[in-house]
Amino acid sequence: MRYSGMAYGKIAVTLNGRGILPPSWHWAVHYGKGSCNRSKLWAYATVKCLLNDDVYLGTLTQNCTGSRSYKDKTMIHKPESEWISHENAHEAIIQPELWEAVQKINQAAKQRADGRTPPQPALFTGKLVCADCGHPMVVSRQSLHRKNGTVKRYVSYFCSRFATTGHSTCSWHRVSEITLKNIVLSEIRAHGKAVATDEAAVLDRLKQQIQSANTSRQEDCQQEISRLRRRLEELERMTAKLYEDKVSGAISEASFALLIEKNEQERVQKAERLDTLLAGERKSQQDIANIQRWAGTVRQYLDLQDLNRDIVEELIDHIEIGERTVIDGQKHQDIKIYYRFVGLV
């Protein structure tokens, strides 16, 4: 398929359409436990990786990765000059002529990509996620050449999973940057106006929103924290008693070792759970403090006229983009803005 000129993404579509399992699932079904937590769909990157792997030519390539040093165990990709290749290490399943022809196609595609100017981060790069599959949205830049010689440039975003699986799963979820920019600008100004008009009411509403979501969980946590603290105190008394019984000869050395180990295992388990719950309580308290921090920030943008990357970074955590629908003849797209510090307001 690649030799015939088919793109990586189109190959992924074809393989998905035929129901062919991707490498991780193929291995799991035939040699592993029968399933794995990876996607069952071929993606652009999987196809590209396979078509550039000379293992299918019968070559075994080693020393491609390694640690920085014996002190730093961080794994890195080594330069190609350090790779060690063993040709004819096993039977090839691709003929050398076909392999070389495909590598020329791959290399030509790589050179075309390398010649392009690296794109600058778009206004919402890294901030958009697909509301249906949760994957990041990626940017698309298009240019329209008009008859008068001018060029109109359009920026939009779409679901990365839909693109990388060759349109095999999810859908476009496309949104134009100018539309999204206007929506975000309008909402930021509205929040800024609300805070400036009656900050106490806004803060109270957000606090109630957080507390109502956490009320039942907090009550359960408080009860569990009390139980854990009582049990830890009891374990300390039991441990002290065991040492006394050992010294007095009331229990044997073997019994003491067995019981003290059992106590210690339970103590560590309970202490770790207590730390987790207390950390959750501290987070709840921090959430309340974050509300005031958010209000102080958004108040500055009451009269915001334009949106730039710095403001997006300062205010926005992420934005969920739903698919476009038509309701009663009107286009509709569900967009949810999650702010830093407070989430969905």
Side-chain angles (χ1 to χ4, degrees), residues 75-271:
M75 297 300 292
I76 60 170
H77 288 281
K78 294 188 175 182
E80 194 170 343
S81 59
E82 296 183 21
W83 294 1
I84 302 172
S85 294
H86 305 277
E87 296 182 358
N88 302 315
H90 50 266
E91 183 180 357
I93 61 172
I94 299 297
Q95 293 300 317
E97 296 78 12
L98 178 58
W99 168 264
E100 292 298 333
V102 168
Q103 295 317 299
K104 289 180 181 179
I105 294 172
N106 295 344
Q107 188 62 32
K110 183 177 183 298
Q111 288 174 349
R112 288 195 299 273
D114 290 344
R116 297 172 188 157
T117 303
Q120 295 297 316
L123 182 61
F124 296 105
T125 295
K127 295 293 182 179
L128 308 184
V129 296
C130 173
D132 291 320
C133 72
H135 280 64
M137 306 278 285
V138 292
V139 66
S140 170
R141 293 178 171 88
Q142 296 176 315
S143 299
L144 177 64
H145 295 267
R146 295 169 171 170
K147 292 181 179 180
N148 60 8
T150 61
V151 178
K152 178 68 174 178
R153 290 181 171 80
Y154 297 91
V155 179
S156 61
Y157 303 85
F158 57 86
C159 174
S160 62
R161 190 182 188 197
F162 184 65
T164 58
T165 59
H167 306 176
S168 299
T169 187
C170 204
S171 57
W172 280 114
H173 291 73
R174 188 183 293 276
V175 62
S176 72
E177 184 173 273
I178 187 63
T179 298
L180 185 58
K181 181 178 179 179
N182 289 334
I183 291 172
V184 174
L185 264 172
S186 177
E187 186 167 308
I188 290 174
R189 286 196 293 257
H191 288 315
K193 182 178 179 181
V195 171
T197 303
D198 193 344
E199 182 174 345
V202 173
L203 294 178
D204 187 57
R205 177 172 59 83
L206 291 175
K207 287 176 183 177
Q208 288 181 358
Q209 181 177 310
I210 291 176
Q211 289 170 349
S212 62
N214 296 336
T215 297
S216 59
R217 183 177 61 84
Q218 286 176 343
E219 291 175 355
D220 292 339
C221 285
Q222 284 293 340
Q223 293 176 5
E224 188 176 356
I225 287 171
S226 298
R227 289 196 301 269
L228 287 169
R229 282 173 169 161
R230 287 196 299 270
R231 182 55 180 166
L232 285 169
E233 291 173 359
E234 185 180 353
L235 287 170
E236 288 182 7
R237 290 194 297 270
M238 290 170 63
T239 299
K241 182 68 167 59
L242 283 172
Y243 277 101
E244 292 175 2
D245 290 345
K246 176 191 173 186
V247 172
S248 66
I251 59 173
S252 65
E253 186 75 30
S255 296
F256 170 79
L258 183 65
L259 292 171
I260 204 73
E261 181 181 0
K262 182 180 177 182
N263 272 20
E264 180 60 16
Q265 287 177 350
E266 185 180 354
R267 187 197 67 77
V268 170
Q269 182 185 27
K270 294 288 192 294

Side-chain angles (χ1 to χ4, degrees), residues 50-61:
L50 186 150
L51 286 171
N52 286 277
D53 192 344
D54 57 3
V55 69
Y56 305 106
L57 192 61
T59 301
L60 177 64
T61 303

